[in-house]
Amino acid sequence: MKRVNDNAPDFNLQDPNHASVALEKPAVVALFKVGCPTCQYTFPFLERLHQRGVRVLGISQDNAKDTKDFAKRFGITFPLGIDAPGYAISKAYGISTVPAMFVVDGDGSIRYVAEDWDRSDFEELAREDDVLCDFGSIARRRLENQPAIVTDLRKCVGRSCVIHTPLA
């Protein structure tokens, strides 16, 4: 598995509509399967980060139709790519299980890694002010000076906030 300070593998793959999706840095790269309950739990949180200007890219290990259905069901608007047959991207990142998340900085270095996410991963991400300060509209602000954002990020990981529809 890729570790903090490793270089993130570059990639170019297709989204569910067959458009090209590439790694744009900085970004949160999240690898998932649509039937994974933990993925279903966490992707709406990642959507909230995306809505705040954080670049998020999901990489699905499922087919285009199932990935589209997942995005619709959970209100995901950030780009989703389909891992090539044989899971080339997953293998390049060295993951053995999903979900897996990598925060990639503007230089292409991995700054944060999480596998089998849980609430503590998102709380840690909320504390990683240097990581989040590299992204979109959060740039130029430090989380320690924005307690409302930290509170909101931590509140967002509660099940009632994250799950938009009941899990199957």
Side-chain angles (χ1 to χ4, degrees):
M1 168 116 129
K2 291 289 184 179
R3 299 183 188 282
V4 171
N5 295 324
D6 285 350
N7 288 325
D10 281 322
F11 53 82
N12 194 341
L13 41 95
Q14 292 186 340
D15 73 6
N17 296 314
H18 307 291
S20 181
V21 175
L23 174 60
E24 293 182 43
K25 303 161 199 152
V28 175
V29 177
L31 295 101
F32 72 103
K33 288 193 76 63
V34 301
C36 163
T38 306
C39 302
Q40 294 170 358
Y41 173 79
T42 55
F43 263 61
F45 171 80
L46 293 173
E47 176 63 24
R48 288 181 62 116
L49 287 179
H50 171 68
Q51 293 300 320
R52 286 184 165 71
V54 175
R55 184 178 292 131
V56 179
L57 174 61
I59 301 176
S60 173
Q61 293 183 339
D62 294 288
N63 65 43
K65 180 192 180 311
D66 291 344
T67 301
K68 263 191 208 182
D69 292 346
F70 177 89
K72 183 176 179 182
R73 180 177 180 200
F74 293 99
I76 306 304
T77 62
F78 56 81
L80 298 175
I82 308 299
D83 203 350
Y87 305 124
I89 306 305
S90 298
K91 287 178 182 175
Y93 277 85
I95 67 167
S96 59
T97 186
V98 292
M101 179 174 61
F102 300 85
V103 175
V104 180
D105 70 18
D107 295 325
S109 293
I110 295 172
R111 298 277 304 278
Y112 182 82
V113 177
E115 225 179 350
D116 278 342
W117 310 329
D118 62 25
R119 182 182 180 111
S120 65
D121 290 322
F122 292 113
E123 289 173 348
E124 180 67 24
L125 185 59
R127 285 191 295 270
E128 289 290 326
D129 62 332
D130 288 338
V131 172
L132 290 178
C133 284
D134 286 341
F135 294 101
S137 65
I138 298 174
R140 297 174 306 279
R141 289 187 268 176
R142 297 185 60 83
L143 286 176
E144 62 204 37
N145 296 326
Q146 300 292 327
I149 292 173
V150 173
T151 300
D152 189 55
L153 288 174
R154 289 185 180 156
K155 187 189 316 174
C156 181
V157 297
R159 269 195 196 273
S160 62
C161 172
V162 173
I163 301 298
H164 295 271
T165 58
L167 295 175

